[in-house]
Amino acid sequence: MDPSKGSTERSRHIVAVLSPVVARSGMTIEDVTVTPAGKRRLVRVLVDRDVTVDDADRESPVEPLSLDEVGEVTRAVSDALDESDAMGEAAYVLEVSSPGTDRPLNAPQHFRRNVGRLIALTTTGEEQLTGRLTAAGTDSFDLADDTGATRTFGYAESSRARVELEFNRPTTADVTEEQD
């Protein structure tokens, strides 16, 4: 996602100020929103691990951000906003977080970050599937159903995809044992 697409001039300015700061932490900005909240403004910055999407590493899970990593980037973002003119003189409240599981998967890097997770997919042909995302590369991703059958989809074939919450998500060892 391009965090400056369809956003306000202030949001674009914030993205320009924060992108190098966030990149130094090995992360990328997913989204920035600025909304009025009484006499203040609420600034929400969504960050995630910077993921290179290529076909050589399609099957490796990407570790989610830890609370410590989000805390470190929050301090850096706060300092950068305080030192810049991006927020003007008005008071603001800053929230920095990673995208939640309810965020739609609509770019290759979103799929790449969720390899190993259960996803619900609606294809452009309106077929609805639920399966384990087993690989995600530059042009396509693989989805395994509960029988273990795997199908490959091009990103253009996905009209809607999202992560399904699992309370007893299998570990990599569990999945490997099932396949043996």
Side-chain angles (χ1 to χ4, degrees):
M1 173 185 166
D2 179 359
S4 63
K5 197 174 197 174
S7 61
T8 66
E9 186 62 36
R10 182 172 306 277
S11 294
R12 286 190 292 276
H13 186 98
I14 292 169
V15 168
V17 167
L18 297 182
S19 288
V21 172
V22 171
R24 282 193 292 273
S25 298
M27 297 178 208
T28 186
I29 296 175
E30 286 290 318
D31 195 17
V32 171
T33 58
V34 180
T35 53
K39 293 182 180 183
R40 298 179 180 180
R41 289 169 288 173
L42 175 60
V43 180
R44 285 192 173 112
V45 180
L46 292 180
V47 296
D48 211 342
R49 196 170 304 285
D50 193 9
V51 176
T52 301
V53 179
D54 63 19
D55 288 326
D57 197 23
R58 290 175 46 92
E59 299 175 15
S60 300
V62 175
E63 289 295 317
L65 292 175
S66 69
L67 290 176
D68 289 339
E69 289 172 310
V70 173
E72 288 174 27
V73 80
T74 299
R75 285 186 287 283
V77 163
S78 178
D79 291 346
L81 283 177
D82 290 345
E83 292 170 6
S84 76
D85 64 347
M87 293 307 301
E89 296 298 317
Y92 65 91
V93 175
L94 175 65
E95 288 183 7
V96 178
S97 65
S98 61
T101 56
D102 60 338
R103 193 132 172 110
L105 307 178
N106 53 19
Q109 64 269 24
H110 299 159
F111 284 85
R112 182 73 186 87
R113 285 186 191 110
N114 287 289
V115 167
R117 298 192 94 163
L118 192 66
I119 67 166
L121 171 70
T122 302
T123 67
T124 52
E126 296 301 316
E127 182 179 7
Q128 295 186 1
L129 307 161
T130 300
R132 182 112 10 232
L133 185 61
T134 58
T138 307
D139 300 316
S140 64
F141 61 94
D142 296 344
L143 194 64
D145 65 20
D146 55 0
T147 68
T150 301
R151 288 176 58 187
T152 300
F153 296 90
Y155 293 110
E157 295 176 75
S158 170
S159 72
R160 193 171 45 249
R162 63 179 168 73
V163 172
E164 289 285 295
L165 290 179
E166 294 181 273
F167 294 104
N168 292 318
R169 186 169 137 195
T171 64
T172 305
D174 294 337
V175 172
T176 305
E177 284 177 20
E178 285 178 17
Q179 291 174 347
D180 290 342

